[in-house]
Amino acid sequence: MTSAIDEKIEPLFQEVLNRNPGETEFHQAVREVLESLGPVLVKYPEFAHHKIIERICEPERQIIFRVPWIDDKGQVQINRGFRVEFNSSLGPYKGGLRFHPSVYLGIIKFLGFEQIFKNALTGLPIGGGKGGSDFDPKGRSDAEIMRFCQSFMTELYRHIGEHTDVPAGDIGVGGREIGYLFGQYKRITNRWEAGVLTGKGLTWGGSLVRTEATGYGAVFFVDEMLKVRKDSFDGKICSVSGSGNVAIYTTEKIHQLGGKVVTLSDSGGYIYDEKGVDLDLVKQLKEIERRRISEYVKYHKDAKYVAGGNIWEIPCQVAMPSATQNEINGADAKLLVDNGCIAVGEGANMPTTPEGVRVFLDAGIAYGPGKAANAGGVATSALEMQQNATRDSWSFEYTEERLKKIMKNIHQSCYETAEEFGTPGNYVIGANCAGFIRVAKAMLAMGVI
Ligand code: NDP
Ligand code: 2IT
C-alpha cells in the first residue's frame, strides 16, 4: 500500500531498482522521496532537463574495504567497511558511521541518500554521506573496539578530511569510538585536524550539546508541530523506543518540557514504567556501565520488562521511535492511532514502513519524518565544525539556542513547502521537496558534474 510515483518519475525509479539490485532499504528511501517530487518538476522543469533526479540517486563515490583486526583471543577477524559519499553540492560529505551486524551496502546507501536532504534542510553548508561496518560491538572489550577502530581508520583516512568528508557517530558509534578513530587519523596523517570528525570529546575539539542534539532536536521539532495545533508536551504520556544516544536525550528533553516518557527498549524487549522513566538510572546503565535495558527493572520493581514484546502496544499521546529502520509497521501505526497517539517524531532514520506512514498521514496526526525531525544531530555537528574552524568553543546555552532555532526553521520550511505544493500539514512532502529543491538548485548552478 504505497502511494503512486508521478508517471514521468516512475521510469527513473525502475532504473534505480535495476542498477541497485537487492538493496531494499535504499529502494524504500528513494521511493519515498520520488513519490513527493511530481509537483516539483512541474514548477522546475529545468530539473528534469538536467537529469537532477537521476544524478542525485547515483552516489558520487562508494568505497568498500576490508577491515582486518585481532580479537582478545588472538584470532584474526575480518569485517567489511563502507563509506558512501553521496552528494557534495552543498558542502563536504557529512554523515555518521554505523557499526552493526546488519550493515551492508543497501543500509549505508539508504542512510546516505536521506542524509543529503536532511543536511540540506538544516540550511548549513554540508553535503550527504554515510559509512559504517558490519562489525558487531556487542560483547567486545574496549581493547577490541580500539583495534577495530584503528584498522577501520587505516583505510578510511585517505578518503576523508575537513573539506572533503566529515564522519560522525550513528548506531554503535559514540564518543569512545570517535576518540579511537580520531587518534588513529592524527597518527597516520600527522595532523591535528579537528574538523575531520564530529562528536569529539569536549576537551579535544568537541562541541557542547552535540551529545544531546539529536534527541533534543527531535523534541523541539515535535514541540513545533504541537504548537501549530495549539498544543504542547505538558502532561503528555510519551513512548520512546531504543535506549541509546537518541532515546536518552529525547527522554531528557520531554521531561524538561513537562511530558512523561513511560517506555524505552532495545533489541531484546521494552520496559514500561508508568511513573515515568528514571533517566539517571538509564544513563548509569547504558552510558557508563553499557548494560541492557532489561536490568532497569532490577532497580524499579514496579516497572515491567517485556522480552521480545511490541513497544507500540503501550498507549501514548506522543511516539518517538529512536532505535532503527522499519520499527513501526502498518499494524503498529494503527495501534498507536487507535490508542490516542496525536504526534510522531522520528529520532531514528526511516523507523516507519511506507504502510505505517500512510496510516499516520491518513489519520491526520502530526507526523515528523526522520530527515526533518532528527536533523538536530547533524546540524550540531555542523556547529562543531564552525567552532573548530574558528578555534572557538561556545557555551551550552548558546549552542542549544542555535539548535532550537535551526529546528524551528526546519519545521517552518517543511510546513510552508507542504502548503506551497497543496498538501498542508504533510511534513513528508514538505521535507522531501524543501530539501530536494535546495540541493537541485546547487547542482544546476555547478553544471554537469
Ligand atoms: P545507539 O547505538 O546509541 O542506540 C541504538 C539503540 O537502538 C539501542 O537501544 C539498540 O538496541 C537499538 N537498536 C539498534 N538496532 C536495532 C535493531 N535492529 N532492532 C532493535 N533495536 C535496535 O544509536 P543512536 O541512538 O545514535 O541511533 C538511534 C537511531 O537514531 C538510528 O536510527 C540512527 O540512525 C538515528 N540517528 C542518530 C543520530 C545521532 O546523532 N546519533 C542522528 C540522527 C539519527 P541494542 O543495544 O539491543 O542493539
Ligand atoms: O543520521 C544522522 O544524521 C547522524 N547519524 C548524525 C550525522 C552527523 O554527521 O552528525
Side-chain angles (χ1 to χ4, degrees):
M1 199 178 61
T2 40
S3 27
I5 300 189
D6 182 274
E7 60 179 18
K8 286 202 204 66
I9 303 178
E10 181 66 37
L12 312 188
F13 181 62
Q14 288 306 321
E15 186 62 15
V16 169
L17 295 180
N18 294 339
R19 287 169 72 83
N20 305 281
E23 297 175 0
T24 49
E25 295 83 0
F26 178 52
H27 302 162
Q28 184 184 334
V30 170
R31 180 173 182 110
E32 192 245 12
V33 171
L34 298 200
E35 276 176 358
S36 301
L37 296 182
V40 173
L41 291 194
V42 175
K43 182 166 181 200
Y44 300 98
E46 62 273 29
F47 291 168
H49 182 68
H50 291 271
K51 297 217 160 76
I52 298 292
I53 294 180
E54 291 91 324
R55 279 195 269 156
I56 248 177
C57 291
E58 182 69 17
E60 290 175 15
R61 190 178 297 110
Q62 307 183 57
I63 302 144
I64 304 182
F65 50 99
R66 180 170 68 200
V67 189
W69 55 284
I70 296 180
D71 69 17
D72 285 347
K73 295 190 188 109
Q75 300 290 316
V76 176
Q77 300 280 343
I78 292 134
N79 287 99
R80 188 170 284 178
F82 301 88
R83 187 71 185 167
V84 174
E85 298 180 334
F86 230 114
N87 195 295
S88 60
S89 320
L90 295 176
Y93 310 106
K94 183 85 196 83
L97 297 171
R98 175 177 293 192
F99 292 170
H100 192 273
S102 63
V103 163
Y104 75 108
L105 189 58
I107 295 256
I108 299 299
K109 279 167 71 175
F110 115 65
L111 291 163
F113 184 74
E114 292 221 313
Q115 200 83 46
I116 304 170
F117 309 105
K118 181 197 303 192
N119 294 4
L121 285 172
T122 67
L124 298 164
I126 40 181
K130 200 87 184 189
S133 174
D134 59 1
F135 172 69
D136 186 358
K138 274 199 198 73
R140 292 294 177 191
S141 69
D142 253 15
E144 289 179 316
I145 300 284
M146 181 180 76
R147 288 196 294 276
F148 176 81
C149 288
Q150 289 176 341
S151 181
F152 186 84
M153 184 53 85
T154 301
E155 171 60 34
L156 186 69
Y157 88 94
R158 69 187 86 245
H159 307 290
I160 62 176
E162 65 172 317
H163 301 296
T164 310
D165 184 354
V166 184
D170 192 80
I171 291 175
V173 178
R176 174 181 59 170
E177 291 73 20
I178 295 294
Y180 295 146
L181 292 164
F182 188 78
Q184 185 73 351
Y185 181 86
K186 181 175 77 65
R187 187 179 188 199
I188 294 174
T189 60
N190 195 31
R191 285 166 64 87
W192 203 100
E193 184 186 335
V196 70
L197 288 168
T198 60
K200 298 181 295 296
L202 297 177
T203 53
W204 45 278
S207 172
L208 285 162
V209 191
R210 177 62 190 89
T211 302
E212 294 83 357
T214 309
Y216 278 22
V219 175
F220 291 146
F221 190 90
V222 173
D223 198 38
E224 290 297 317
M225 295 198 298
L226 290 172
K227 272 188 207 153
V228 169
R229 294 166 182 241
K230 313 248 174 301
D231 206 340
S232 77
F233 267 102
D234 198 30
K236 294 277 182 308
I237 304 295
C238 305
S239 187
V240 175
S241 66
S243 49
N245 172 266
V246 178
I248 288 172
Y249 292 96
T250 294
T251 302
E252 183 161 285
K253 186 51 76 178
I254 289 176
H255 286 175
Q256 287 173 12
L257 297 186
K260 182 163 81 171
V261 174
V262 295
T263 67
L264 284 176
S265 67
D266 60 25
S267 54
Y270 73 85
I271 57 154
Y272 173 58
D273 189 342
E274 198 185 351
K275 289 204 252 162
V277 160
D278 172 356
L279 198 60
D280 288 339
L281 172 63
V282 173
K283 285 185 180 175
Q284 179 69 28
L285 288 173
K286 299 300 301 180
E287 293 186 325
I288 299 171
E289 298 172 19
R290 297 182 187 275
R291 290 160 69 186
R292 308 297 295 161
I293 200 65
S294 56
E295 305 197 48
Y296 182 93
V297 297
K298 285 189 188 156
Y299 304 87
H300 284 285
K301 302 285 183 204
D302 42 354
K304 69 171 181 176
Y305 172 69
V306 183
N310 181 2
I311 189 173
W312 309 118
E313 68 197 15
I314 300 292
C316 65
Q317 293 156 295
V318 178
M320 302 205 50
S322 308
T324 194
Q325 63 277 354
N326 293 328
E327 52 170 311
I328 299 180
N329 63 25
D332 300 329
K334 191 162 178 314
L335 204 56
L336 282 165
V337 170
D338 289 348
N339 284 336
C341 180
I342 56 158
V344 175
E346 296 184 336
N349 286 306
M350 206 168 75
T352 311
T353 65
E355 294 75 16
V357 174
R358 179 66 25 229
V359 171
F360 292 146
L361 293 177
D362 287 349
I365 69 166
Y367 168 64
K371 62 171 81 68
N374 72 38
V378 75
T380 308
S381 279
L383 300 182
E384 182 173 330
M385 291 161 73
Q386 277 187 40
Q387 292 168 77
N388 294 154
T390 53
R391 300 185 190 274
D392 196 0
S393 52
W394 306 340
S395 72
F396 193 96
E397 292 69 26
Y398 176 75
T399 316
E400 189 183 6
E401 208 37 56
R402 294 280 301 256
L403 167 64
K404 201 172 188 174
K405 212 179 260 172
I406 291 167
M407 296 315 296
K408 199 177 162 73
N409 287 343
I410 294 174
H411 173 272
Q412 192 175 344
S413 118
C414 296
Y415 186 82
E416 288 173 359
T417 308
E419 297 227 310
E420 182 190 344
F421 289 104
T423 51
N426 185 326
Y427 293 96
V428 175
I429 292 190
N432 287 339
C433 296
F436 178 85
I437 291 168
R438 188 153 191 260
V439 179
K441 284 183 175 170
M443 288 176 73
L444 213 56
M446 292 177 198
V448 179
I449 53 169

